[in-house]
Amino acid sequence: MITSLIIPAYNEEEAIGLVIEEYYPYVDEIIVVDDGSTDKTYELACARQDDKVHVYQHKNNQGKVGALLTGVQKSTGDIIIFTDADCTYPAHYIPNFLNELNRGADLVLGIRNIEAHNIPFFNRIGNAIFSTMATYISGKYISDGQTGYRAFRKEMLNELLVSAKSLEFETKMTVRAAKLGYLISEVPIEYRERVGTSKLHPIRDGYRMFHALLSIAWHETSPLAKMISVPGIFLLLAGIVIGLVSVQERILNYHLIHEYYPLISVFLMLFGIQLTSIGLIIDYLSKKMERIEERIRQISIKKE
């Protein structure tokens, strides 16, 4: 089983050498893809090339996803491992990742210890919100869907591949795997303060993640689940609107003109949430059953 590490790098001259050296003993192949850097990232990575380390370059910046896909295409391994080029993810967890894959996991995530010293306050809030949304949409608890440290079998790439431009790729990939019923394993890891300047834009990337989650929720949900969930969403929105009307009446008139609006609002929101949840649970169970049947067929074929 050959392991290929993919490192997308954009203006990471301060850290790229350290990352290559740290991961060198833990994998069989290291693929560095310089994504049109304007500093010395490419030169410093090339200086560490040998039979194990291979460096490729995009003349123009294509984004993190483009760099990852180039790396996978150039790799020769059976197991693909993604990491970042900023020294945030320790290499010594790779044996744990491989153990989880050998035990049957389809996708292994490195779950970060998110604390004040390694992630800014607003980023921590955003991570909690999007992980909660990912959990609700997928029907499976996801602690850290945004982590860039992950491993999977190369043959699964086509199933896990999603359309994305930037940091929303990880979130979208994680939720898609959960929606399709794949077994996701989580490995708690230390998350270090990055070396160099962060390229995260909270508002822009937050919007992209939110849009990505809604896209996956719609496209990867079965028709039956949509028939149940969509009315629930409309009921939830109707409850919110009626609730806002009640608040407006209370502020402008100092009393409620429609006394039953708050009760109606709460009823509609609760019923809408329950209906939407039932639809998503049905979708999760149906996808999980399909995946179990697929595994049983694969085992039967191997025995024959």
Side-chain angles (χ1 to χ4, degrees), residues 20-181:
I20 294 174
E21 291 176 7
E22 182 180 0
Y23 279 90
Y24 197 92
Y26 292 96
V27 295
D28 301 308
E29 179 182 58
I30 296 177
I31 306 290
V32 179
V33 181
D34 176 70
D35 192 31
S37 296
T38 56
D39 62 4
K40 296 181 180 180
T41 299
Y42 180 66
E43 290 79 1
L44 293 172
C46 286
R48 289 168 171 79
Q49 278 195 110
D50 57 17
D51 293 338
K52 189 173 184 176
V53 180
H54 308 283
V55 182
Y56 300 91
Q57 184 183 41
H58 291 162
K59 294 299 181 181
N60 299 310
N61 182 267
Q62 297 181 21
K64 183 178 182 179
V65 180
L68 287 172
L69 294 182
T70 296
V72 174
Q73 291 168 4
K74 300 294 184 180
S75 67
T76 61
D78 309 297
I79 302 298
I80 300 297
I81 303 169
F82 289 163
T83 193
D84 290 346
D86 55 10
C87 280
T88 51
Y89 298 116
H92 63 81
Y93 291 101
I94 286 182
N96 302 75
F97 282 30
L98 299 180
N99 287 337
E100 292 300 316
L101 289 172
N102 289 331
R103 291 170 56 188
D106 297 306
L107 175 64
V108 182
L109 305 178
I111 305 304
R112 300 169 291 179
N113 61 325
I114 298 176
E115 298 175 356
H117 71 275
N118 55 20
I119 296 183
F121 174 74
F122 287 109
N123 293 358
R124 298 200 306 273
I125 296 297
N127 188 79
I129 292 173
F130 291 122
S131 293
T132 301
M133 288 181 61
T135 295
Y136 182 69
I137 290 171
S138 65
K140 174 179 174 56
Y141 180 68
I142 298 174
S143 304
D144 184 10
Q146 294 78 49
T147 179
Y149 198 13
R150 54 188 59 210
F152 57 92
R153 291 178 178 81
K154 188 176 183 179
E155 62 191 32
M156 286 185 56
L157 180 64
N158 290 335
E159 290 292 330
L160 298 178
L161 194 59
V162 292
S163 60
K165 295 181 179 180
S166 186
L167 299 178
E168 76 274 14
F169 174 75
E170 286 91 352
T171 304
K172 208 169 179 181
M173 177 186 184
T174 304
V175 176
R176 177 176 172 80
K179 291 287 285 181
L180 292 177

Side-chain angles (χ1 to χ4, degrees), residues 157-304:
L157 180 64
N158 290 335
E159 290 292 330
L160 298 178
L161 194 59
V162 292
S163 60
K165 295 181 179 180
S166 186
L167 299 178
E168 76 274 14
F169 174 75
E170 286 91 352
T171 304
K172 208 169 179 181
M173 177 186 184
T174 304
V175 176
R176 177 176 172 80
K179 291 287 285 181
L180 292 177
Y182 285 111
L183 179 60
I184 299 175
S185 180
E186 298 183 342
V187 175
I189 65 167
E190 172 194 2
Y191 186 69
R192 302 178 298 211
E193 187 175 354
R194 79 165 352 263
V195 174
T197 305
S198 175
K199 300 170 185 65
L200 176 66
H201 296 82
I203 296 177
R204 183 193 66 190
D205 292 321
Y207 168 77
R208 286 178 175 174
M209 288 183 195
F210 180 73
H211 183 268
L213 286 171
L214 294 182
S215 175
I216 285 289
W218 179 255
H219 291 102
E220 301 297 340
T221 299
S222 64
L224 175 61
K226 287 178 183 176
M227 291 175 61
I228 299 173
S229 298
V230 171
I233 293 173
F234 280 111
L235 289 173
L236 174 61
L237 294 175
I240 292 173
V241 170
I242 293 174
L244 292 175
V245 171
S246 298
V247 172
Q248 182 186 41
E249 289 181 351
R250 186 70 177 83
I251 293 174
L252 297 180
N253 302 303
Y254 301 102
H255 69 279
L256 292 175
I257 298 175
H258 303 88
E259 297 181 357
Y260 294 104
Y261 271 20
L263 182 61
I264 294 173
S265 173
V266 171
F267 173 78
L268 289 176
M269 287 192 289
L270 289 176
F271 189 55
I273 292 172
Q274 290 178 346
L275 204 59
T276 303
S277 300
I278 290 171
L280 292 174
I281 291 171
I282 290 174
D283 182 68
Y284 172 76
L285 293 176
S286 63
K287 295 287 177 58
K288 199 67 177 177
M289 289 300 298
E290 290 174 5
R291 195 62 54 203
I292 292 172
E293 291 175 1
E294 181 180 323
R295 288 184 181 275
I296 293 174
R297 285 196 299 268
Q298 291 174 349
I299 294 172
S300 298
I301 292 172
K302 289 180 180 179
K303 287 183 178 180
E304 293 174 359

